[in-house]
Amino acid sequence: MKRPSEQSLQNMVAEYQAVTSPNVMHQLEQLAAPLKGARVLHINSTKEGGGVAEILHKFIPLKQALGIEADWEIITGNQEFYQCTKGFHNALQGMRQTISDKLLQNYEQTNRENAEKLHEKLKEADFVFIHDPQPAPLLNYISERKGKWIWRCHIDVSRPYRQVWKYLREWVTPYDASIFSLPEFAQTLPHPQYIVAPSIDPLSDKNCPLPEREIKNVFSQFNLDPDLPLITQVSRYDRFKDPLGVIEAYKLASKLTPLQLVLAGGGASDDPEGEAILNEVKQASNGAPNIHVLLLPADANRTINALQRASDIILQKSIKEGFGLTVSEGMWKGKPVIGGDTGGIRLQVINHYTGFLVRTPEGAALRTRYLLHRRDKLKDMGMRAQRFVRENFLITRHLREYLTLMVGLTSGDVERISVGSA
Ligand code: UDP
């Protein structure tokens, strides 16, 4: 990944300070000082689609701005590889899954091949962050590694399907540390476990302020009615995001209160189930007035930003959720979020304060109608939601925790890492 120029780094620092707090970058610079010149490699399995890619796109330049040699690589595999890792994903979130030996062998072979391709970088890095189960076995195929390896799990593993976790645990055990998003996700592992919540980038196209006309433009772009209240869920088409439950909630609420629903989603290249779920969603919404099912390209960040800003309420009715960046994205735009009472959504939605936690379509419908009828409450909740994100879920806080973790993991051998610095 290309390093930003000195001028653009300076601008970046100023912009973050303006949105967060005046000393935030100074604090990050201090924390990053012992890590100057350290080689940090992040590995996941997709450049676009899903929360991990969303975070890494901005994490890498920010680390570089702090003098860290940060880099990001993806591993690639065939269709069977993604079928297998989607099975892992579903199993870690509690679904019973049988994964054949053939798929497991292909998973291991794919990791072996990727390890060969990335061998030099992986071997030389001072820190390797491996995101989720897809690249977990890489460590096993690297001889004489130099750095610390950290497994970063973004999934809700509070109640994994045991058989699959037992298999994956073998790959994760030799790591130096793991990171989970919530304390409830921590596992029995023989190394330190850190709890770090993800974050959103307030300066990205997804979250930056937009001119009013760009926000209004979504009404004509997607054939929406500017005079009807709008509720929106932005998500990959995935069963755990419960898009069918959202449609049911919309149908219940709209019997009594006129409104429109947008379901906005796109594919992730490492998610092979999206198309089937999208078809189910289209079927369920067929004939229902004012349901808009959108399939957006991967770079539609400003469009999603505008849709979230144009909405009255943001929904994220997941039944399992590692964190749910879309929740913070909605809250950052001053919207109350009606979210599934699960995993990382509970961390962001404080029930009755920054939004509502719900367990059923009926609950989501009831809360939707309540907020649309009580505009004063809707506005207050939205303002509190934005403040809560500013204080807790921006990328600067996230980076601070990563830097602390890296310094902590190397206390004693920081000198060695500093060798490459100017
Ligand atoms: N997203 C997107 N386009 C889509 C659907 C989702 O850009 O069509 C983004 C969304 O705005 C968020 C991320 O992808 O930034 C999804 O992260 P989240 O943690 O909510 O869910 P995940 O997909 O990682 O389970």
Side-chain angles (χ1 to χ4, degrees):
M1 208 177 203
K2 206 166 145 266
R3 258 182 89 84
S5 71
E6 210 38 56
Q7 183 56 44
S8 66
L9 291 181
Q10 289 305 325
N11 293 344
M12 198 192 291
V13 167
E15 280 179 303
Y16 278 107
Q17 304 219 131
V19 185
T20 53
S21 68
N23 292 320
V24 73
M25 293 306 284
H26 178 63
Q27 190 194 26
L28 291 178
E29 277 162 13
Q30 276 187 325
L31 265 173
L35 299 165
K36 240 187 169 53
R39 275 167 290 191
V40 178
L41 187 58
H42 287 264
I43 310 270
N44 79 323
S45 60
T46 179
K47 275 272 177 207
E48 53 197 30
V52 181
E54 182 79 20
I55 291 169
L56 290 179
H57 271 295
K58 285 316 278 279
F59 229 53
I60 307 298
L62 250 177
K63 280 189 179 170
Q64 290 174 344
L66 294 166
I68 295 169
E69 298 291 325
D71 205 354
W72 172 17
E73 293 285 350
I74 56 163
I75 59 160
T76 51
N78 57 16
Q79 214 185 345
E80 287 189 333
F81 174 73
Y82 297 115
Q83 189 189 336
C84 175
T85 57
K86 182 72 188 187
F88 289 159
H89 183 100
N90 291 341
L92 291 183
Q93 297 212 132
M95 246 186 223
R96 201 186 166 85
Q97 297 277 299
T98 309
I99 298 172
S100 69
D101 285 346
K102 186 164 166 268
L103 283 185
L104 293 179
Q105 277 158 19
N106 180 61
Y107 168 68
E108 291 165 22
Q109 178 58 22
T110 304
N111 267 282
R112 198 175 295 123
E113 286 163 13
N114 278 282
E116 269 166 36
K117 259 191 264 168
L118 299 170
H119 197 266
E120 277 315 299
K121 275 190 171 181
L122 289 168
K123 206 172 121 184
E124 291 304 319
D126 296 299
F127 298 92
V128 181
F129 288 89
I130 296 289
H131 295 264
D132 285 336
Q134 294 91 330
L138 284 181
L139 172 56
N140 188 61
Y141 304 118
I142 299 299
S143 54
E144 302 163 52
R145 66 167 158 130
K146 174 180 168 211
K148 303 284 180 193
W149 282 58
I150 300 112
W151 186 57
R152 203 310 176 205
C153 179
H154 295 267
I155 302 169
D156 177 346
V157 274
S158 51
R159 294 174 70 87
Y161 178 53
R162 284 284 145 200
Q163 220 169 311
V164 170
W165 170 239
K166 240 172 94 183
Y167 168 80
L168 285 172
R169 193 179 177 278
E170 292 299 310
W171 298 115
V172 175
T173 294
Y175 279 70
D176 297 298
S178 321
I179 307 177
F180 297 93
S181 297
L182 256 72
E184 296 91 294
F185 301 167
Q187 296 294 324
T188 315
L189 285 165
H191 54 233
Q193 295 178 56
Y194 295 84
I195 307 300
V196 179
S199 62
I200 60 163
D201 177 10
L203 302 183
S204 68
D205 282 348
K206 181 73 59 69
N207 298 306
C208 64
L210 293 180
E212 201 53 36
R213 81 184 140 65
E214 193 171 344
I215 301 171
K216 294 242 163 70
N217 192 35
V218 293
F219 288 98
S220 53
Q221 189 181 352
F222 298 113
N223 210 10
L224 307 175
D225 183 343
D227 298 321
L228 267 186
L230 172 61
I231 61 172
T232 297
Q233 174 158 307
V234 176
S235 276
R236 286 179 296 109
Y237 290 101
D238 180 306
R239 244 176 257 296
F240 289 114
K241 310 283 183 186
D242 198 19
L244 298 181
V246 173
I247 291 176
E248 214 181 316
Y250 162 79
K251 285 182 178 170
L252 288 169
S254 62
K255 275 185 194 158
L256 299 161
T257 305
L259 76 157
Q260 56 194 330
L261 166 69
V262 163
L263 282 165
S269 59
D270 60 350
D271 179 357
E273 285 178 359
E275 207 176 310
I277 311 287
L278 175 62
N279 286 336
E280 287 177 30
V281 167
K282 282 184 177 158
Q283 254 180 14
S285 62
N286 195 16
N290 292 320
I291 300 185
H292 304 264
V293 180
L294 311 180
L295 190 62
L296 299 175
D299 60 355
N301 294 316
R302 284 183 82 96
T303 307
I304 289 177
N305 185 346
L307 277 168
Q308 288 165 330
R309 289 184 190 277
S311 303
D312 294 279
I313 299 169
I314 298 296
L315 299 182
Q316 191 54 59
K317 219 207 101 8
S318 309
I319 45 178
K320 283 272 178 179
E321 191 63 77
F323 182 70
L325 291 181
T326 50
V327 174
S328 272
E329 287 165 6
M331 291 168 68
W332 179 242
K333 286 147 196 146
K335 310 295 169 179
V337 174
I338 299 179
D341 186 5
T342 187
I345 297 179
R346 289 190 188 134
L347 207 59
Q348 302 169 80
V349 175
I350 304 175
N351 207 8
H352 295 261
Y353 190 74
T354 63
F356 287 110
L357 292 170
V358 297
R359 289 176 174 264
T360 59
E362 289 78 7
L366 189 77
R367 297 312 191 186
T368 299
R369 292 192 55 243
Y370 170 81
L371 285 174
L372 293 179
H373 287 282
R374 292 294 308 269
R375 288 280 168 174
D376 53 331
K377 299 275 182 206
L378 184 150
K379 203 165 156 234
D380 284 352
M381 275 191 185
M383 274 164 45
R384 289 193 293 255
Q386 188 183 55
R387 198 166 60 231
F388 196 59
V389 171
R390 191 188 301 279
E391 286 164 3
N392 296 288
F393 301 120
L394 295 186
I395 195 167
T396 37
R397 183 276 309 156
H398 196 177
L399 198 51
R400 187 179 68 225
E401 291 180 358
Y402 264 64
L403 294 174
T404 312
L405 181 154
M406 287 193 277
V407 172
L409 277 177
T410 50
S411 52
D413 47 39
V414 171
E415 277 306 310
R416 179 173 60 78
I417 289 169
S418 308
V419 168
S421 66

